[in-house]
Amino acid sequence: EVQLVESGGGLVQPGGSLRLSCVTSGFTFSRNDMNWVRQAPGKGLEWLSYISSGSETIYYADSVQGRFTISRDNAKNSLYLQMSSLRADDTAMYYCVREVPQADYWGQGTLVTVSS
Amino acid sequence: IALTQSPGTLSLSPGERATLFCRASQSVGSGYLAWYQHKPGQSPRLLIFGASNRATGIPDRFSGSVSGTDFTRFTLTISRLEPEDFALYYCQHYGGSPSRFTFGPGTRVDFK
């Protein structure tokens, strides 16, 4: 069974940092491209970042470029999102998503709240 | 590519047919258009990929189609609404570069 389990969310002050993790199982992680997608309260889904299976190619949405860093550890079947300079509008549920190329499996999400 | 969805809200009763529309600002290459169902407290669920292919485990009351030959107009049809189908539905273009996923704003299907 394919599983993606995010963690690392929480309450952080504006300007702060947070590192999200996504541990996967049930498939060959090293062969799959991965993404992060978020949903702010009352808003739609927003793609944030992509990383290819071997980390050769990385993309970011303009909204997080320069502030967020995606990475992966294929030996640990894990995906990461390092977030810095966080703002109130980064408050959202963050999802780890497998790409095949459609987004076929999503984690349950981890909630990030940016507030003083 | 930008996606628009219509209507914003669809108010229907169980057993009725639901027709949801998604329009792309330009041709979606290779038919890379998907539909997702999203319920509160859950992660989005893939329903349709490649415009018309049902994902694993999706009931056949869900179907996707494309209108015309320019790959800009897409439809999700739920033939007979079940109580568990009342949810938010998103269309999505995938495989883009650098933006891998582009989502429409969503259509909410709620109880009349």
Side-chain angles (χ1 to χ4, degrees), chain A residues 33 35-37 39 43-47 49-50 59-61 95 97-99 101-109, chain B residues 32 34 36 38 41-46 49-50 56 88 90 92 94-105:
Chain A
D33 301 342
N35 292 264
W36 287 98
V37 173
Q39 184 177 35
K43 303 290 187 180
L45 298 168
E46 179 189 16
W47 171 81
S49 186
Y50 159 91
Y59 297 130
Y60 296 99
Y95 297 100
V97 181
R98 187 177 83 161
E99 176 180 328
Q102 64 272 16
D104 66 343
Y105 282 98
W106 300 59
Q108 86 289 348
Chain B
Y32 276 10
Y36 296 85
H38 196 190
Q42 298 183 17
S43 53
R45 176 193 183 197
L46 176 66
F49 66 96
T56 303
L88 191 55
Y90 292 97
Q92 176 215 43
Y94 54 92
S97 178
S99 296
R100 301 303 289 176
F101 302 146
T102 301
F103 296 94

Coordinates of all heavy atoms in Angstrom, one line a residue, chain A residues 33 35-37 39 43-47 49-50 59-61 95 97-99 101-109, chain B residues 32 34 36 38 41-46 49-50 56 88 90 92 94-105:
Chain A
D33 N 9.2 11.1 -9.3 CA 9.3 12.6 -9.1 C 8.3 12.9 -8.0 O 7.2 12.3 -7.9 CB 9.0 13.3 -10.4 CG 9.9 13.0 -11.6 OD1 11.0 12.5 -11.3 OD2 9.6 13.3 -12.7
N35 N 6.4 16.2 -5.5 CA 6.0 17.6 -5.4 C 5.5 18.0 -4.0 O 5.1 17.1 -3.2 CB 4.9 17.9 -6.4 CG 5.3 17.8 -7.8 OD1 5.6 18.8 -8.5 ND2 5.3 16.6 -8.4
W36 N 5.5 19.3 -3.7 CA 4.7 19.8 -2.6 C 3.6 20.7 -3.1 O 3.8 21.5 -4.0 CB 5.6 20.6 -1.7 CG 6.6 19.8 -0.9 CD1 7.9 19.5 -1.1 CD2 6.3 19.1 0.4 NE1 8.5 18.8 -0.2 CE2 7.5 18.5 0.8 CE3 5.2 19.0 1.2 CZ2 7.6 17.7 2.0 CZ3 5.3 18.3 2.4 CH2 6.5 17.6 2.8
V37 N 2.4 20.6 -2.5 CA 1.2 21.3 -2.9 C 0.6 21.8 -1.5 O 0.7 21.1 -0.5 CB 0.2 20.5 -3.6 CG1 -1.1 21.3 -3.9 CG2 0.8 20.0 -5.0
Q39 N -2.7 24.1 0.5 CA -4.0 24.7 0.5 C -4.2 25.7 1.6 O -4.2 25.2 2.8 CB -5.1 23.7 0.5 CG -6.5 24.3 0.3 CD -7.6 23.3 0.2 OE1 -7.6 22.3 0.9 NE2 -8.7 23.6 -0.6
K43 N -9.0 28.6 0.5 CA -8.5 28.8 -0.8 C -8.4 27.5 -1.6 O -8.6 26.4 -1.0 CB -7.1 29.5 -0.7 CG -7.0 30.8 0.0 CD -7.7 31.9 -0.8 CE -7.5 33.2 -0.1 NZ -8.2 34.3 -0.8
G44 N -7.9 27.6 -2.8 CA -7.8 26.4 -3.6 C -6.4 25.8 -3.5 O -5.6 26.2 -2.6
L45 N -6.1 24.8 -4.3 CA -4.8 24.1 -4.3 C -3.8 24.9 -5.0 O -4.0 25.4 -6.1 CB -5.0 22.7 -4.9 CG -5.9 21.8 -4.2 CD1 -6.2 20.5 -5.0 CD2 -5.4 21.4 -2.8
E46 N -2.6 24.9 -4.5 CA -1.5 25.7 -5.0 C -0.2 24.8 -5.1 O 0.3 24.3 -4.1 CB -1.2 26.9 -4.2 CG 0.0 27.7 -4.8 CD 0.5 28.9 -3.9 OE1 0.1 28.9 -2.7 OE2 1.2 29.8 -4.4
W47 N 0.3 24.5 -6.3 CA 1.5 23.8 -6.4 C 2.7 24.7 -6.0 O 2.7 25.9 -6.3 CB 1.8 23.4 -7.9 CG 3.1 22.9 -8.2 CD1 3.6 21.6 -8.0 CD2 4.2 23.6 -8.7 NE1 4.9 21.5 -8.3 CE2 5.3 22.7 -8.8 CE3 4.4 24.9 -9.1 CZ2 6.6 23.1 -9.2 CZ3 5.7 25.3 -9.5 CH2 6.8 24.4 -9.6
S49 N 6.4 23.2 -5.4 CA 7.8 22.8 -5.8 C 7.8 21.4 -6.3 O 7.0 20.5 -5.9 CB 8.7 22.9 -4.5 OG 10.0 22.7 -4.9
Y50 N 8.8 21.1 -7.1 CA 9.0 19.8 -7.8 C 10.4 19.4 -7.7 O 11.3 20.3 -7.8 CB 8.6 19.9 -9.3 CG 9.2 18.9 -10.2 CD1 8.5 17.7 -10.4 CD2 10.4 19.1 -10.8 CE1 9.0 16.7 -11.3 CE2 10.9 18.1 -11.7 CZ 10.2 16.9 -11.9 OH 10.7 16.0 -12.7
Y59 N 12.1 22.7 -9.4 CA 11.3 23.9 -9.8 C 10.6 24.4 -8.5 O 10.2 23.7 -7.6 CB 10.2 23.5 -10.8 CG 10.7 23.0 -12.1 CD1 10.2 21.9 -12.7 CD2 11.7 23.7 -12.9 CE1 10.6 21.4 -13.9 CE2 12.1 23.2 -14.1 CZ 11.6 22.1 -14.6 OH 12.0 21.6 -15.8
Y60 N 10.3 25.7 -8.6 CA 9.5 26.4 -7.5 C 8.5 27.3 -8.1 O 8.7 27.9 -9.2 CB 10.5 27.2 -6.6 CG 11.5 26.4 -5.9 CD1 12.8 26.3 -6.3 CD2 11.2 25.7 -4.7 CE1 13.8 25.6 -5.6 CE2 12.1 25.0 -4.0 CZ 13.4 24.9 -4.5 OH 14.4 24.2 -3.8
A61 N 7.4 27.5 -7.4 CA 6.4 28.5 -7.7 C 7.0 29.8 -7.4 O 7.9 29.9 -6.4 CB 5.1 28.3 -7.0
Y95 N 0.9 19.4 1.5 CA 0.8 18.1 1.0 C 2.0 17.6 0.2 O 2.5 18.4 -0.6 CB -0.4 17.8 0.1 CG -1.8 18.1 0.8 CD1 -2.5 19.3 0.5 CD2 -2.4 17.1 1.5 CE1 -3.7 19.5 1.1 CE2 -3.7 17.3 2.1 CZ -4.3 18.5 1.9 OH -5.5 18.7 2.4
V97 N 3.2 15.0 -2.6 CA 2.4 14.4 -3.7 C 3.4 13.7 -4.7 O 4.4 14.2 -5.1 CB 1.7 15.6 -4.5 CG1 0.9 14.9 -5.6 CG2 0.8 16.4 -3.6
R98 N 3.0 12.5 -5.0 CA 3.7 11.7 -6.0 C 3.3 12.1 -7.4 O 2.0 12.2 -7.6 CB 3.5 10.2 -5.7 CG 4.4 9.3 -6.6 CD 4.3 7.9 -6.3 NE 3.1 7.3 -7.0 CZ 3.0 5.9 -7.2 NH1 4.0 5.1 -6.7 NH2 2.0 5.5 -7.8
E99 N 4.2 12.2 -8.3 CA 3.9 12.5 -9.7 C 4.2 11.3 -10.6 O 5.3 10.8 -10.6 CB 4.7 13.7 -10.1 CG 4.5 14.1 -11.6 CD 5.3 15.3 -12.0 OE1 5.6 16.2 -11.1 OE2 5.8 15.4 -13.1
P101 N 2.8 10.9 -14.5 CA 2.9 12.3 -14.2 C 1.7 13.0 -13.5 O 1.8 14.1 -13.0 CB 3.1 13.0 -15.5 CG 2.3 12.1 -16.4 CD 2.5 10.7 -15.9
Q102 N 0.5 12.3 -13.5 CA -0.5 12.9 -12.7 C -0.2 12.7 -11.2 O 0.6 11.9 -10.8 CB -1.9 12.3 -13.1 CG -2.0 10.8 -12.7 CD -1.5 9.9 -13.8 OE1 -0.8 10.3 -14.7 NE2 -1.9 8.6 -13.7
A103 N -0.9 13.5 -10.4 CA -0.7 13.4 -8.9 C -1.5 12.3 -8.4 O -2.7 12.6 -8.0 CB -1.0 14.8 -8.3
D104 N -1.0 11.1 -8.3 CA -1.9 10.0 -8.0 C -2.0 9.7 -6.5 O -3.0 9.2 -6.1 CB -1.4 8.7 -8.8 CG -0.1 8.2 -8.4 OD1 0.7 9.0 -7.7 OD2 0.2 7.0 -8.7
Y105 N -0.9 10.0 -5.7 CA -1.0 9.8 -4.3 C -0.6 11.1 -3.5 O 0.4 11.7 -3.9 CB -0.1 8.6 -3.9 CG -0.7 7.3 -4.2 CD1 -0.4 6.6 -5.3 CD2 -1.7 6.7 -3.3 CE1 -1.0 5.3 -5.6 CE2 -2.3 5.5 -3.6 CZ -1.9 4.8 -4.7 OH -2.5 3.6 -5.0
W106 N -1.4 11.4 -2.5 CA -1.2 12.5 -1.7 C -1.1 12.1 -0.2 O -1.7 11.1 0.2 CB -2.4 13.5 -1.8 CG -2.7 14.0 -3.1 CD1 -3.0 13.3 -4.3 CD2 -2.8 15.4 -3.5 NE1 -3.2 14.2 -5.3 CE2 -3.1 15.5 -4.9 CE3 -2.6 16.6 -2.8 CZ2 -3.3 16.7 -5.6 CZ3 -2.7 17.8 -3.5 CH2 -3.1 17.8 -4.8
G107 N -0.2 12.8 0.5 CA -0.2 12.5 1.9 C -1.4 13.1 2.6 O -2.3 13.7 1.9
Q108 N -1.5 12.9 3.9 CA -2.7 13.5 4.6 C -2.5 15.0 5.0 O -3.5 15.6 5.3 CB -2.9 12.7 5.9 CG -2.1 13.1 7.1 CD -0.6 12.8 7.0 OE1 -0.2 12.1 6.2 NE2 0.1 13.4 7.9
G109 N -1.3 15.5 4.8 CA -1.1 16.9 5.0 C -0.5 17.2 6.4 O -0.8 16.5 7.3
Chain B
Y32 N -3.0 16.1 -20.8 CA -2.6 16.0 -19.4 C -3.5 16.9 -18.5 O -3.2 17.9 -17.9 CB -1.2 16.5 -19.3 CG -0.1 15.4 -19.5 CD1 -0.5 14.2 -20.1 CD2 1.2 15.7 -19.2 CE1 0.5 13.3 -20.4 CE2 2.2 14.7 -19.5 CZ 1.8 13.5 -20.1 OH 2.8 12.6 -20.3
A34 N -6.4 16.3 -15.3 CA -6.9 15.4 -14.3 C -8.0 16.1 -13.5 O -8.2 17.3 -13.5 CB -5.8 15.0 -13.4
Y36 N -9.9 15.9 -9.6 CA -9.8 15.5 -8.2 C -11.0 15.8 -7.4 O -11.7 16.8 -7.6 CB -8.6 16.1 -7.5 CG -7.3 15.8 -8.2 CD1 -6.8 16.5 -9.3 CD2 -6.5 14.8 -7.7 CE1 -5.6 16.2 -9.9 CE2 -5.3 14.4 -8.3 CZ -4.9 15.1 -9.4 OH -3.7 14.8 -10.0
H38 N -12.2 16.5 -3.5 CA -11.6 17.0 -2.2 C -12.7 17.2 -1.2 O -13.6 18.0 -1.4 CB -10.7 18.2 -2.4 CG -9.8 18.5 -1.3 ND1 -9.1 19.7 -1.1 CD2 -9.4 17.8 -0.3 CE1 -8.4 19.7 -0.1 NE2 -8.5 18.5 0.5
G41 N -11.0 17.8 5.5 CA -10.3 16.9 6.4 C -9.6 15.7 5.7 O -9.0 14.9 6.4
Q42 N -9.7 15.7 4.4 CA -9.1 14.6 3.6 C -8.1 15.2 2.6 O -8.2 16.4 2.3 CB -10.1 13.8 2.9 CG -11.1 13.1 3.9 CD -12.1 12.2 3.2 OE1 -11.9 11.8 2.0 NE2 -13.2 11.8 3.8
S43 N -7.3 14.4 2.1 CA -6.4 14.8 1.0 C -7.2 14.6 -0.3 O -8.1 13.8 -0.4 CB -5.1 14.1 1.0 OG -5.3 12.7 1.0
P44 N -6.8 15.4 -1.4 CA -7.5 15.3 -2.7 C -7.3 13.8 -3.2 O -6.3 13.2 -3.0 CB -6.7 16.3 -3.5 CG -6.3 17.3 -2.6 CD -5.9 16.6 -1.4
R45 N -8.3 13.4 -3.9 CA -8.4 12.0 -4.4 C -8.5 12.1 -6.0 O -9.3 12.8 -6.5 CB -9.6 11.3 -3.9 CG -9.9 9.9 -4.4 CD -11.4 9.6 -4.0 NE -11.7 8.2 -4.4 CZ -13.0 7.8 -4.4 NH1 -14.0 8.6 -4.1 NH2 -13.3 6.6 -4.8
L46 N -7.5 11.4 -6.6 CA -7.5 11.4 -8.1 C -8.7 10.6 -8.6 O -8.9 9.5 -8.2 CB -6.2 10.8 -8.6 CG -6.0 10.6 -10.1 CD1 -6.0 12.0 -10.8 CD2 -4.8 9.8 -10.4
F49 N -7.5 10.9 -15.0 CA -6.3 11.4 -15.6 C -6.3 11.2 -17.1 O -7.1 10.4 -17.6 CB -5.1 10.7 -14.9 CG -4.9 9.3 -15.2 CD1 -4.1 8.8 -16.3 CD2 -5.6 8.3 -14.5 CE1 -4.0 7.5 -16.5 CE2 -5.6 7.0 -14.7 CZ -4.7 6.6 -15.8
G50 N -5.4 12.0 -17.8 CA -5.4 11.9 -19.2 C -6.8 12.3 -19.8 O -7.2 11.7 -20.9
T56 N -7.5 4.2 -10.5 CA -7.8 2.9 -9.8 C -8.8 3.0 -8.7 O -8.7 3.9 -7.9 CB -6.5 2.3 -9.2 OG1 -5.5 2.2 -10.3 CG2 -6.8 0.9 -8.6
L88 N -15.9 19.0 -3.1 CA -15.2 20.0 -4.0 C -14.5 19.3 -5.1 O -13.8 18.3 -4.8 CB -14.3 20.9 -3.2 CG -13.7 22.2 -3.8 CD1 -14.8 23.1 -4.3 CD2 -12.9 22.9 -2.7
Y90 N -11.7 19.6 -8.4 CA -10.7 20.4 -9.0 C -10.3 19.8 -10.3 O -10.1 18.6 -10.4 CB -9.5 20.6 -8.2 CG -9.6 21.4 -6.9 CD1 -9.8 20.8 -5.7 CD2 -9.5 22.8 -7.0 CE1 -9.9 21.5 -4.6 CE2 -9.6 23.5 -5.8 CZ -9.9 22.9 -4.6 OH -10.0 23.6 -3.4
Q92 N -7.1 19.9 -13.1 CA -5.7 20.1 -13.0 C -5.0 19.8 -14.3 O -5.2 18.8 -14.9 CB -5.1 19.2 -11.8 CG -3.6 19.3 -11.7 CD -3.0 18.0 -11.3 OE1 -3.3 17.0 -11.8 NE2 -2.0 18.0 -10.3
Y94 N -1.3 18.9 -15.6 CA 0.0 18.4 -15.1 C 1.0 18.2 -16.2 O 0.7 18.2 -17.4 CB -0.3 17.1 -14.3 CG -0.9 16.0 -15.1 CD1 -0.2 15.0 -15.8 CD2 -2.3 15.8 -15.1 CE1 -0.8 14.0 -16.5 CE2 -2.9 14.8 -15.8 CZ -2.2 13.9 -16.5 OH -2.8 12.9 -17.2
G95 N 2.3 18.1 -15.7 CA 3.3 17.9 -16.7 C 3.9 19.2 -17.2 O 4.7 19.2 -18.2
G96 N 3.5 20.3 -16.7 CA 4.0 21.6 -17.2 C 5.4 21.9 -16.7 O 6.0 21.2 -15.9
S97 N 6.0 22.9 -17.3 CA 7.3 23.3 -16.9 C 7.4 24.8 -16.9 O 7.1 25.4 -17.9 CB 8.4 22.7 -17.8 OG 9.7 23.1 -17.5
P98 N 7.9 25.5 -15.8 CA 8.3 24.8 -14.6 C 7.2 24.5 -13.6 O 7.4 23.7 -12.7 CB 9.2 25.9 -13.9 CG 8.6 27.2 -14.4 CD 8.2 26.9 -15.8
S99 N 6.0 25.1 -13.8 CA 4.9 24.7 -12.9 C 4.4 23.3 -13.3 O 3.7 23.1 -14.3 CB 3.7 25.7 -13.1 OG 4.2 27.0 -12.7
R100 N 4.6 22.4 -12.4 CA 4.2 21.0 -12.7 C 2.7 20.8 -12.7 O 2.2 20.0 -13.5 CB 4.9 20.0 -11.7 CG 6.4 20.1 -11.7 CD 7.0 19.8 -13.1 NE 6.8 18.4 -13.5 CZ 7.2 17.9 -14.6 NH1 7.6 18.7 -15.6 NH2 7.0 16.6 -14.9
F101 N 2.1 21.4 -11.7 CA 0.6 21.3 -11.6 C 0.0 22.7 -11.6 O 0.4 23.6 -10.9 CB 0.2 20.6 -10.3 CG 0.8 19.3 -10.0 CD1 1.2 18.9 -8.7 CD2 1.0 18.4 -11.0 CE1 1.7 17.6 -8.5 CE2 1.6 17.1 -10.8 CZ 1.9 16.8 -9.5
T102 N -1.1 22.8 -12.4 CA -1.9 24.0 -12.3 C -3.3 23.6 -12.0 O -3.9 22.7 -12.7 CB -1.9 24.8 -13.7 OG1 -0.5 25.1 -14.0 CG2 -2.7 26.0 -13.6
F103 N -3.9 24.2 -11.0 CA -5.3 23.8 -10.6 C -6.3 24.8 -11.0 O -6.0 26.0 -11.0 CB -5.3 23.6 -9.1 CG -4.4 22.5 -8.6 CD1 -3.1 22.7 -8.1 CD2 -4.9 21.2 -8.5 CE1 -2.3 21.7 -7.7 CE2 -4.1 20.1 -8.1 CZ -2.8 20.4 -7.6
G104 N -7.5 24.4 -11.3 CA -8.6 25.3 -11.4 C -9.1 25.7 -10.1 O -8.7 25.2 -9.1
P105 N -10.0 26.7 -10.0 CA -10.5 27.2 -8.7 C -11.4 26.3 -8.0 O -11.7 26.5 -6.8 CB -11.2 28.5 -9.1 CG -11.6 28.3 -10.5 CD -10.5 27.4 -11.2

